Amino acid sequence: MWILGISKSHNGSVALIRDGKVISAIQAERISRIKRHPIDLKNDKILIKKCIDYCLKEAGINHSELNSVAISTPWDVNCLEDNFLFEHISITPKNYRKTYYVPHHYAHVEYIIHYFNLTPGIVLIIDGSGSKENDRKNFNIKENISSKYISHVNKSGKETISAYWFDGKNIFLIYRFSPSLDSFDKSNESSKGFLQSIGHYWRWASNYCCGSHTEAGKVMGLAAYGDPNIYKNLKILSIKRDGSIKVDYKMLAKKFNKPNIFGKDLTNDSHYSNIAAMVQKDTENILFKILKFLKKNHSSNTLYYAGGVALNMVANEKIIKSKLFNNVILNGSVEDNGTAIGAALAASYELQNKRSPEKITDYYGKVYSNEEILNAINKFKFKYEFISEQKKYDIVAKLIYNNNVVGWFQGRSEFGPRALGNRSILANPMHPKMKYILDLYIKQRDRYRPYAPVVLEEYSKKYFDIDGTSPVMMSGGKVLSKKFKAITHVDGSARVQTLSKSDNIIFYNLIESFQKISGFPIILNTSFNLPGEPIVETPVDALNSFSNGSLSYMCLGNYLVSREER
């Protein structure tokens, strides 16, 4: 049974599921080339068609074979008659069963529980905000309510934290915090549109520190430069004993009145780094209080964790190291793009009453053939050569070892926000000036932002203080050697990608070749894109990025491209 999932959200996406297995998925931004491109069913007909065609082509099927469409959104839910829906998304299915409208947080749940072995556990979803409470009547996938359910739901509210109990088959809502949307509500005093939400606390910090509400990742990097104790007595973010959350926007407005509206580089600016450190520490403290609160009522050794706040790998690392849970399940698309997969999985379970869990991965995109790559290269004037599979790894590893910065375009593209070795820029982590080179010439980004390493899994504990594995860069730890300055953050930590052969054999072979030359199984891995752009998707995207940027070389499939003109 073929099911199409659509995330109608601020980073819209489409996914295709067959019999409970994820076949393909794409973020709209990778097609449109506009970062964090939203999907609107009524106004983005051409873009949606391109995303759907992308997924169907990768699966080798056509529109007529689709059996169901599942939609999730954090915005208003507008249920459409099937014929109108088909027109908006340009499909003509022949054996269509049903259209499903899935609650936003529930789609996050279905996404994350898919990536473990059906072990019972607590499922925690924390983001900016999800479904409106007055939209519940429009959903035809309903949530089961636990007899132990704790509700902090305002009837005019919007979900910002939800927790569930997964018993290995069924999902039960055990906790929800849905604060009021009403501007006149006392809780929204001085909030300027922000909700009582951990995700919106980060959005406030992103606006204040970086001049944009989409830069929470920058704030997390900046936090390592600050002192969390400077503002510890403000208690901006708090939780009551009953589990209700408060963000004191009135205090924020009173104490902080120098927003970085022009987005200047904040390196060495203690005002902003101390604020970032405050937000990070507050978040960690509240997360642990929530988790202990939930575990008190639902004893479990397994935590499934998703929602945009789950992208905070610093907090994730501390949860993992706390041993509060034996298993902490995270995957690379825990933010809204993953709800396209989650919505489709919810529909799949509704139709087939069966779950088919898979290993953690985020490689859901298209594979481009050498023929497609060569056709793209011939549109440009760069010098290129074909290199055999056997020679490819040694040649590129030597280029990296000799301190060339190389674009690496291989296999299926990544679905989520992090490049995992298929659409990556790679560099030598031991070069003492490599971070400076990347910041100034390649990525052109703020100096306080760190770069991530990828390490062969079997060596990860030798070089990093890391618990378990981190195949999708969702946790990290202290760097245990001083040799790798380019990937070591100011606090001595790194966001680590661990890599096994089964994760990605092509990327594994490259790092193994680098190890033979350098003696170390580690490479610096950052996303293949220019500033302000999404990660490259197609060979043409990669060549445009190469053309407008400063990379030395690029390896697309089996073609090595250099900056010289032919």
Side-chain angles (χ1 to χ4, degrees), residues 132-376:
K132 292 180 179 179
E133 293 304 322
N134 59 19
D135 269 335
R136 299 277 173 208
K137 62 184 180 296
N138 296 320
F139 300 123
N140 55 2
I141 286 188
K142 304 294 184 181
E143 296 175 321
N144 297 314
I145 308 298
S146 167
S147 59
K148 296 181 178 181
Y149 174 52
I150 297 170
S151 173
H152 294 287
V153 172
N154 187 296
K155 290 181 180 179
S156 67
K158 208 168 188 279
E159 60 188 10
T160 63
I161 306 175
S162 298
Y164 302 77
W165 174 255
F166 174 54
D167 68 4
K169 181 179 181 181
N170 298 305
I171 301 162
F172 299 90
L173 181 66
I174 59 175
Y175 166 90
R176 172 158 289 145
F177 183 66
S178 289
S180 174
L181 289 167
D182 294 330
S183 59
F184 55 79
D185 192 281
K186 187 177 180 181
S187 66
N188 291 326
E189 186 178 357
S190 302
S191 71
K192 297 182 180 179
F194 295 117
L195 298 180
Q196 294 294 308
S197 157
I198 297 174
H200 278 205
Y201 186 26
W202 277 87
R203 180 174 286 198
W204 172 87
S206 177
N207 271 333
Y208 187 89
C209 294
C210 304
S212 167
H213 69 269
T214 62
E215 303 292 2
K218 288 186 179 182
V219 177
M220 185 174 70
L222 183 62
Y225 289 83
D227 182 352
N229 295 316
I230 297 295
Y231 300 119
K232 68 178 182 180
N233 294 327
L234 293 184
K235 302 190 186 312
I236 301 295
L237 181 63
S238 59
I239 182 171
K240 294 181 180 178
R241 293 183 68 181
D242 64 0
S244 58
I245 306 293
K246 181 183 177 182
V247 183
D248 192 344
Y249 291 109
K250 188 175 180 181
M251 181 63 74
L252 287 174
K254 180 181 177 181
K255 288 289 185 180
F256 306 115
N257 53 20
K258 295 192 297 183
N260 179 22
I261 58 175
F262 297 112
K264 68 176 182 178
D265 188 339
L266 300 177
T267 305
N268 301 322
D269 193 317
S270 62
H271 173 69
Y272 298 99
S273 61
N274 288 336
I275 289 172
M278 171 189 74
V279 175
Q280 179 67 40
K281 188 67 175 179
D282 283 352
T283 301
E284 294 167 9
N285 290 340
I286 293 301
L287 273 174
F288 275 101
K289 288 178 180 179
I290 291 171
L291 290 171
K292 289 174 182 177
F293 175 80
L294 294 171
K295 193 170 181 180
K296 184 178 179 181
N297 294 317
H298 300 272
S299 180
S300 175
N301 286 318
T302 298
L303 172 68
Y304 300 87
Y305 185 27
V309 175
L311 286 172
N312 190 312
M313 56 75 50
V314 177
N316 295 346
E317 174 198 346
K318 291 183 178 178
I319 293 170
I320 292 166
K321 287 187 177 298
S322 74
K323 303 300 182 184
L324 192 60
F325 299 91
N326 293 339
N327 308 304
V328 179
I329 312 305
L330 297 151
N331 203 357
S333 291
V334 292
E335 61 176 346
D336 280 9
N337 67 299
T339 61
I341 291 175
L345 289 170
S348 177
Y349 185 71
E350 193 79 7
L351 289 166
Q352 298 180 288
N353 195 33
K354 184 179 73 171
R355 300 189 187 281
S356 302
E358 298 180 86
K359 69 171 289 185
I360 290 170
T361 185
D362 217 19
Y363 303 115
Y364 288 129
K366 175 180 166 57
V367 176
Y368 294 86
S369 67
N370 276 324
E371 182 182 0
E372 290 174 296
I373 289 169
L374 181 59
N375 287 337

Side-chain angles (χ1 to χ4, degrees), residues 379-393:
K379 295 176 182 178
F380 296 78
K381 294 183 179 180
F382 297 117
K383 187 177 179 180
Y384 68 90
E385 64 175 308
F386 181 88
I387 50 178
S388 69
E389 195 70 13
Q390 186 176 3
K391 291 181 179 179
K392 175 171 71 175
Y393 306 111

